[in-house]
Amino acid sequence: MTRVRTSAIVGLVLCAVLTAGCSGSGSGSGSGKASDNSASAPDKTSSAGSAPDAAAPTESNPPGDIPDNQAFVAYRPSGGFTGFTVKVPEGWARTTNGATTVFTDKLNRIQISAATATAAPTVGSVTNTVVPQLRGRVSKFAHPKVSVVQRRAGTAVLLTYQGDSATDPVTGKVVRDAFERYAFHRQGHEVDLTLSGPVNADNVDPWRIVSDSFGWR
């Protein structure tokens, strides 16, 4: 009888010890996981602090596509240097300031500037002169690329880049824009044709119509 009672008591003690050990181990594991999750959580404060320096987000489906049935009409300057013509989308708003004329519609823009230039633009001159100027004027200027292209009027120096649009006065929204700047030159005159609209807008064909329509007269 004594041996049976002793064995029973020993068994109860061992069971209690094991139960306490299992309970302690489970608590420690749970505490460790909570610590890991806390350490890997993103720092929202740091991310928010860097937002003002970031460029405007690129929209996946921007409302800047020019319709496929858009009609184009010839623009001939009536003041300043008048020795060229170019097609622009019919119905777009037009403003003129000195030797620069701008056509706009919704989020798209065409700027035409004429100037006297004894030397023709080159990849080097655009890279070393125009790019730094735009970097100082265009918000979040990025990804400049300069190349020589052929259009119907002849050779042009093309500068492509991205930048943030001006803040919309109604919505307060800023759009990430893509730019194509063509520099045409002949007989001491340079005409810069800049086409811009939202990044990812499907305006490849309309912009080609405009840039190919440029001609000297």
Side-chain angles (χ1 to χ4, degrees):
M1 289 294 291
T2 301
R3 291 182 178 178
V4 172
R5 289 179 181 177
T6 301
S7 298
I9 291 172
V10 172
L12 289 173
V13 171
L14 288 174
C15 182
V17 171
L18 290 174
T19 301
C22 291
S23 175
S25 174
S27 175
S29 175
S31 175
K33 289 182 180 178
S35 176
D36 290 343
N37 289 339
S38 175
S40 61
D43 186 353
K44 295 182 179 179
T45 302
S46 175
S47 176
S50 62
D53 296 328
T58 299
E59 299 187 36
S60 59
N61 187 26
D65 288 358
I66 298 173
D68 293 338
N69 61 351
Q70 173 67 56
F72 293 81
V73 295
Y75 162 71
R76 296 179 178 86
S78 56
F81 176 62
T82 60
F84 68 93
T85 182
V86 62
K87 286 184 178 180
V88 297
E90 186 177 29
W92 283 25
R94 171 182 166 182
T95 58
T96 299
N97 184 9
T100 298
T101 299
V102 176
F103 295 87
T104 57
D105 180 72
K106 300 181 178 67
L107 301 177
N108 294 303
R109 188 173 188 270
I110 297 175
Q111 177 175 306
I112 306 164
S113 299
T116 301
T118 55
T122 64
V123 170
S125 67
V126 172
T127 301
N128 297 326
T129 303
V130 178
V131 169
Q133 292 174 349
L134 292 174
R135 195 181 298 278
R137 294 201 301 257
V138 178
S139 177
K140 306 300 186 297
F141 179 88
H143 310 307
K145 182 179 179 181
V146 186
S147 61
V148 174
V149 297
Q150 291 295 322
R151 290 296 184 265
R152 291 181 181 177
T155 300
V157 179
L158 170 62
L159 166 62
T160 60
Y161 58 96
Q162 291 186 11
D164 283 0
S165 69
T167 303
D168 188 290
V170 177
T171 65
K173 188 175 183 179
V174 176
V175 177
R176 189 66 176 165
D177 281 341
F179 295 79
E180 295 180 10
R181 179 189 182 276
Y182 296 85
F184 297 92
H185 182 274
R186 191 179 75 162
Q187 298 177 354
H189 294 282
E190 180 176 328
V191 177
D192 298 328
L193 175 64
T194 303
L195 318 171
S196 62
V199 171
N200 289 339
D202 186 14
N203 290 335
V204 174
D205 291 339
W207 287 162
R208 184 61 187 246
I209 291 173
V210 174
S211 62
D212 246 351
S213 72
F214 179 87
W216 302 102
R217 65 187 182 104

